[in-house]
Amino acid sequence: MGQVREYLDLIKNFSGFASPGSVIGAHMLLIARKVLDFEVDEEIYVTCETTNCLPDAFQAICKSTIGNGRLNILDTGKMAVIINRKGMPGETVQALRIILDPEKTVNYPIIHEWYMNTRKVSAEEVNPELIRAGENLYSWYFVDVIVPEKEKKIIEICNLCNEPFIKRNELDLCPACLKR
Ligand SMILES: [Zn+2]
C-alpha cells in the first residue's frame, strides 16, 4: 500500500487532485510493473482506452506522455490499459491488457455504483474504497503488440492556409482545410 500512496502523491503534484480514474491507473501500473517485471527506470509504453482521468496516472508516475510518444489514447470508452516495454520498430513485444473488472467491482458496492454510474459518487467517497480494494478489482491477460515502424516525417505547406503540416497522404491540403 505504501507504493500506492507514493504514486498518489505524484498524481496530486501533477494534476492537483487524484481523480478516481487516476487512482485506478496507479493500481494498473503497479500490476504491470509486477507482472511484466519492469526495471526501475525502464521506459513504459501505455495505451489508455479512455481519455477520462486514467491517462494522468501514467503521465505523473512513469513519465509516459502524449508528447514523448509513450502514451497513446485508443478511446473505446473502457477503463482499460495496454502496457508494454520498449521494442525495436517492427518487433512483436509482450503487453499486458488490464481492465477494471465489473465481476470484481460488484463485490464493492460503492465502487460498482461509481463504475456503472448508477449513483453520483464523489471522489472523496470512492477513492478510499479503491485504495482499500487494492489489486482485487482488476483482471489482465497478455497480448502481442507490434512496435510501429518510425514514419519518415515530410513537411508540406498547405495550399490553402500556407501553414506547414506533417504530410500523411498524397493531398496538399492540411487536415483542417480539408474539413472546410
Ligand atoms: Zn491548411
Side-chain angles (χ1 to χ4, degrees):
M1 191 174 273
Q3 199 157 20
V4 164
R5 298 277 176 201
E6 196 182 302
Y7 280 5
L8 297 187
D9 284 343
L10 290 171
I11 293 167
K12 281 177 205 154
N13 286 339
F14 176 76
S15 60
F17 163 72
S19 60
S22 67
V23 175
I24 289 163
H27 285 92
M28 288 175 166
L29 184 58
L30 272 179
I31 291 166
R33 276 203 199 277
K34 231 180 285 173
V35 176
L36 293 171
D37 199 21
F38 283 109
E39 306 288 334
V40 178
D41 281 337
E42 195 166 340
E43 292 182 355
I44 294 177
Y45 287 73
V46 182
T47 300
C48 283
E49 295 192 24
T50 175
T51 55
N52 261 332
C53 310
L54 196 58
D56 279 359
F58 305 96
Q59 302 193 87
I61 301 163
C62 58
K63 307 286 180 237
S64 298
T65 68
I66 299 279
N68 67 24
R70 300 207 293 270
L71 175 66
N72 280 296
I73 309 289
L74 175 72
D75 195 356
T76 60
K78 295 180 183 177
M79 266 300 171
V81 292
I82 298 166
I83 298 180
N84 61 276
R85 50 168 43 99
K86 192 187 174 94
M88 299 299 286
E91 187 189 359
T92 301
V93 294
Q94 199 177 48
L96 201 63
R97 183 172 186 269
I98 309 170
I99 186 163
L100 182 66
D101 189 341
E103 287 181 15
K104 297 183 176 178
T105 57
V106 80
N107 300 317
Y108 299 83
I110 291 171
I111 295 172
H112 199 67
E113 285 174 320
W114 171 83
Y115 192 20
M116 298 298 123
N117 202 22
T118 51
R119 176 171 72 86
K120 197 87 201 139
V121 182
S122 69
E124 288 72 22
E125 191 180 354
V126 76
N127 278 357
E129 287 292 296
L130 289 168
I131 293 165
R132 185 171 71 85
E135 294 174 15
N136 296 332
L137 303 171
Y138 308 90
S139 291
W140 56 86
Y141 55 85
F142 290 106
V143 287
D144 283 340
V145 167
I146 299 168
V147 180
E149 303 278 354
K150 259 215 154 68
E151 58 177 313
K152 196 161 180 264
K153 201 189 276 181
I154 299 168
I155 304 297
E156 176 84 35
I157 307 294
C158 175
N159 267 356
L160 207 60
C161 68
N162 286 321
E163 292 177 352
F165 67 101
I166 300 172
K167 190 178 169 79
R168 294 214 162 89
N169 53 40
E170 294 314 306
L171 304 167
D172 42 23
L173 290 180
C174 77
C177 289
L178 206 56
K179 261 199 254 169
R180 282 186 205 161

